[in-house]
Structures are given as C-alpha cells and as structure tokens.
Amino acid sequence: MSEVSGSVGLVWPGGTTGPGRQLKPVEINTDTDWYPSAIDNHGRVVGERTYDHQDLAAETYWDAPYTKDGVQIPGLPAHEGKGWLNDISPSSGVAVGTAMFPYGIPPITPVDQAQIWPGSGPMRTLPSLAPDGPAGTEAVNDQARAGGWAYDGDPYDGAGAPHPVIWTCALG
C-alpha cells in the first residue's frame, strides 16, 4: 500500500453552510504543501506553496472564484524561493509577509526580511531596525501600514533583541 501526504489549500463560502473548495492546483504529494494565510473582501487569498519539505517556499495568491491555479509571485532577489505572505489588507489588495531561509544562519544565508506586495508588480523590502537584524511582517491595513517584528541587531551573536514594529509608510 502506498501513501501520499501533503496538503491542499481550502476556502469556504461565507455563512454557515456549504463545503470547502480546494484551491488549485490540486497537487498532493510528499513534497508540496499549500498554506493559505488570509483572505480579503474581494476573495483574494494569500499564502505560500512549500516544497521539498519546506526548504523552498513561494509567495502565492488565488483569486475568486478559484477556478485557476494559484499565482506565484517572484520573491525578493536574495530570498528567491524562500518567502511567504501572512496577511492581505481588507480592500486595497496589499499583502505582507516574510522572506527567510527556514534553516539558514547568517552570514551564510541572508537575514529574514520583512516584505510587502502592493497587489501587482514586484515584492518590496521593508527596512529592519539594523542591517544585520532580521524582520518580518504579520498584518497590514488598507493604508499599507504593516505590523510585524524586527531585531535591533544580530540575534545569532546575542546582540539583537526583538521589537514589535509598525511600518507607517510601507509603500511610500
């Protein structure tokens, strides 16, 4: 008997009835998992596709009515294939996330980087508190104010401490 594991993203209709709907592509295997993270008022779902046992990740979105494959967004140049989207604004289509190396340790790999996506075009970097301090974003509103975390130095050498951060002009 062979067994295949993996996951597919699901979205449910509003209200209390109706079955969940699979986000495409429906690709269940041992190397691919889909992680939808947030949905906006227009039905756009953001998240990521991980593959090769989470060594690689791609920022991904799906648009309603979910009849087409999820669209992978090119990540930040130093983090290509190592990022995800955590949230999307309610109405403006702005999404935020983190570009990182899940098992990396700087300086061998780049530090985690907060990122924002305006809904089209390239992913953009948000500044950290220090050049060697990692950062990530967790939430965003319609005015592109992004919330997340950042270190004020390198946490790997004991010099950095984490802080909550709000980027107030994230797309400015």
Side-chain angles (χ1 to χ4, degrees), residues 61-151:
Y61 72 89
W62 297 263
D63 283 327
Y66 317 113
T67 57
K68 296 183 181 176
D69 287 356
V71 177
Q72 293 183 27
I73 305 162
L76 297 175
H79 294 86
E80 189 71 35
K82 300 285 185 178
W84 58 81
L85 296 172
N86 296 323
D87 194 24
I88 187 167
S89 63
S91 299
S92 64
V94 176
V96 295
T98 305
M100 69 172 293
F101 282 78
Y103 308 110
I105 297 176
I108 299 165
T109 59
V111 297
D112 299 353
Q113 184 65 58
Q115 60 183 3
I116 189 165
W117 182 59
S120 63
M123 195 71 64
R124 298 179 187 181
T125 302
L126 292 172
S128 189
L129 296 176
D132 56 354
T137 47
E138 304 295 332
V140 65
N141 69 10
D142 281 332
Q143 290 73 42
R145 289 189 191 104
W149 52 271
Y151 281 76

Side-chain angles (χ1 to χ4, degrees), residues 7-23:
S7 68
V8 259
L10 297 173
V11 65
W12 282 268
T16 58
T17 62
R21 188 172 188 175
Q22 293 179 336
L23 297 173

Side-chain angles (χ1 to χ4, degrees), residues 5-6 25 28-29 35-36 43 54-55 60 72 79 83 90 97 134 148 150-151 153 169:
S5 65
I28 301 175
N29 64 50
Y35 294 99
Q54 296 188 348
D55 286 342
T60 303
Q72 293 183 27
H79 294 86
Y151 281 76
C169 53

